[in-house]
Each structure stands twice: as structure tokens, then as C-alpha cells.
Amino acid sequence: MYKLTIDKTEFDLSGDWTIERWMGLQKWDVSLDFNWPRLISESTGAPLEDCVLIPYETQHVGVALISSLLTPEWRTPKRRLHGHKLVEFNTMSIGTFIDCETALGRDLKKWMHMIVAALYNADLEKTKTWSIQDTYPAVSNYLNWRDGLYKSYASLFEIEDSEVEGAENESGGPDAAYAWYDFLMVLADEKFLNIEKASERGVYEALNYMAWVKDQAKKRELEAKRLKI
């Protein structure tokens, strides 16, 4: 466990932050050195006025450590957490997938609690109090899995391999939720009362259907053009 010592007073630097505190730390851009004292202060609880006096080189080392702790990918994902079970990615519902993608589209640094709540089927607000070290590995694994998913359905989402990492922003608009709502309405046959049942269908089943719908639309378009010739 790492600690920051200032005038014989020790401050915790274990990185065991809540998700809510982790999201708060994300607002400090580590590439800007004038943010370093503030980041160190909020990460450890040390007084800001003391952190400002820390030598520049020491600040640099401290920020590097904090940056590493902000992304604890080296840990093993917890299959169960606070009475909730981590969803199996390959069998998740399209509704859960959409919740995860909406969180990513809105900015994971601000909506980490939303993707964690989706992955563990937990209360949105309660997940803010969960440990980032306990939850980040599951999110990291999800991100790796979704990269493969988007590559498999690149033609559906009309993305190139190099664009996969940014696929959550392909929908455009102020909120990714709007584009995903359109997606869900197609699955629901444009009937509001069908939305809940549609959202419960498996992610692969739903994407396969959407790929088929898109393929049929292209065929109709080509046939219409042929008839005009």
C-alpha cells in the first residue's frame, strides 16, 4: 500500500476510491502540471496548500502512480459483488448492452456508475459507493469484449477496424441514448408496448436481426434502382 508523507503525516494512496470519488478525480487533466497538486490533494486527502509545496519531480512521480491506480486493469474481475452477479457478456440482453453503450457514449469518466450498474444489474445510485478497484476490471473486460463484437458487426454499424474503439460515439447527437432508442424501436416493430420484451432479447440475436433488416433494406433499394433503369 502506497502512502504520501508530508511533515511526518501519512496520507493514504492505495487507490481504493469509491466510483463517485474516482469520477471526481477524472476532471483533473494529468497532462497539465498545474493540476498536479489538486489531483494529489483530492486523491490522498492531503491539504492542497501542502501539496503545492511538494517538489515538481516528486509531484510527477505521484501523479504517475495515481494515473496507474485510476485504471486498475491488473486485478481479476469480481464475479459477485455486494450480492450482485456480473453479467455474462455473450448472453447479456440487448437492453443491458444498450445501457453500457449509453454510458460509454456519454463519457465513462462521468458515467462509470451507469456501466457498473448495468454489468452487475445493480442500483444506479448505490454503485457510486462501490470501490473502483473492485469494479474497473469488469468494465475493462467488457471493453475488450465489445471491441470484438463491433468488429463482428462492422457492416451493421458501418465502421472500419480502426474506428472500433470509438464506436460508442458513432450514433452522434447530444446523447447516445437517442440513437439506441431508435435501434430498440426497430426491434420492437415501432410499437411502444413491445419495447420491454424487445430489450430482453439476447445481444447477438438482436444484432443479427438488425443486420438482416439492414440487408433487406439494401436489397429493396437496389431493386428500386434497377426498376428505374
Side-chain angles (χ1 to χ4, degrees):
M1 180 181 295
Y2 299 101
K3 291 185 179 295
L4 172 68
T5 302
I6 300 178
D7 292 333
K8 297 182 179 181
T9 301
E10 291 188 340
F11 299 93
D12 178 61
L13 190 50
S14 63
D16 191 21
W17 305 296
T18 64
I19 289 177
E20 185 169 31
R21 190 174 176 189
W22 179 90
M23 291 189 293
L25 295 175
Q26 296 296 327
K27 64 185 177 183
W28 304 111
D29 186 348
V30 298
S31 67
L32 305 175
D33 56 8
F34 58 77
N35 281 334
W36 293 357
R38 176 68 70 176
L39 178 60
I40 293 172
S41 174
E42 295 197 8
S43 298
T44 63
L48 177 59
E49 57 270 24
D50 292 337
C51 293
V52 171
L53 301 176
I54 296 174
Y56 183 87
E57 293 75 12
T58 305
Q59 287 187 31
H60 191 283
V61 173
V63 168
L65 175 58
I66 292 169
S67 297
S68 175
L69 293 172
L70 286 171
T71 55
E73 298 172 322
W74 64 87
R75 289 176 170 257
T76 301
K78 291 185 178 293
R79 296 300 173 185
R80 288 189 176 275
L81 194 58
H82 301 293
H84 298 272
K85 183 180 179 181
L86 177 63
V87 67
E88 293 290 340
F89 301 152
N90 287 327
T91 58
M92 71 165 56
S93 68
I94 188 64
T96 298
F97 176 75
I98 288 174
D99 286 344
C100 291
E101 294 303 291
T102 298
L104 288 168
R106 289 177 175 177
D107 188 352
L108 194 59
K109 294 178 179 179
K110 299 176 181 178
W111 289 89
M112 174 63 81
H113 61 305
M114 182 176 184
I115 193 171
V116 169
L119 292 176
Y120 283 95
N121 190 28
D123 180 81
L124 183 64
E125 289 301 312
K126 287 183 179 179
T127 56
K128 289 182 178 180
T129 66
W130 292 11
S131 167
I132 192 64
Q133 290 190 357
D134 287 341
T135 54
Y136 192 93
V139 175
S140 180
N141 274 22
Y142 171 78
L143 295 177
N144 291 332
W145 172 82
R146 74 182 284 279
D147 283 351
L149 183 74
Y150 273 107
K151 287 178 181 178
S152 297
Y153 291 91
S155 60
L156 171 61
F157 294 104
E158 297 183 348
I159 56 177
E160 301 294 333
D161 287 346
S162 60
E163 298 174 326
V164 168
E165 291 183 358
E168 69 272 14
N169 297 316
E170 289 297 313
S171 61
D175 192 334
Y178 295 126
W180 285 112
Y181 184 80
D182 288 340
F183 184 98
L184 196 55
M185 283 300 291
V186 175
L187 291 177
D189 196 26
E190 299 184 1
K191 293 181 174 62
F192 176 77
L193 295 180
N194 292 345
I195 290 178
E196 184 174 356
K197 286 187 176 180
S199 67
E200 294 172 353
R201 305 308 289 252
V203 61
Y204 284 107
E205 178 186 10
L207 293 180
N208 286 338
Y209 175 73
M210 292 298 290
W212 178 83
V213 168
K214 184 175 182 179
D215 184 58
Q216 294 303 306
K218 284 186 176 180
K219 288 181 179 179
R220 289 194 294 270
E221 182 181 355
L222 290 174
E223 181 63 15
K225 289 181 178 180
R226 185 185 69 79
L227 293 175
K228 288 182 179 179
I229 297 177

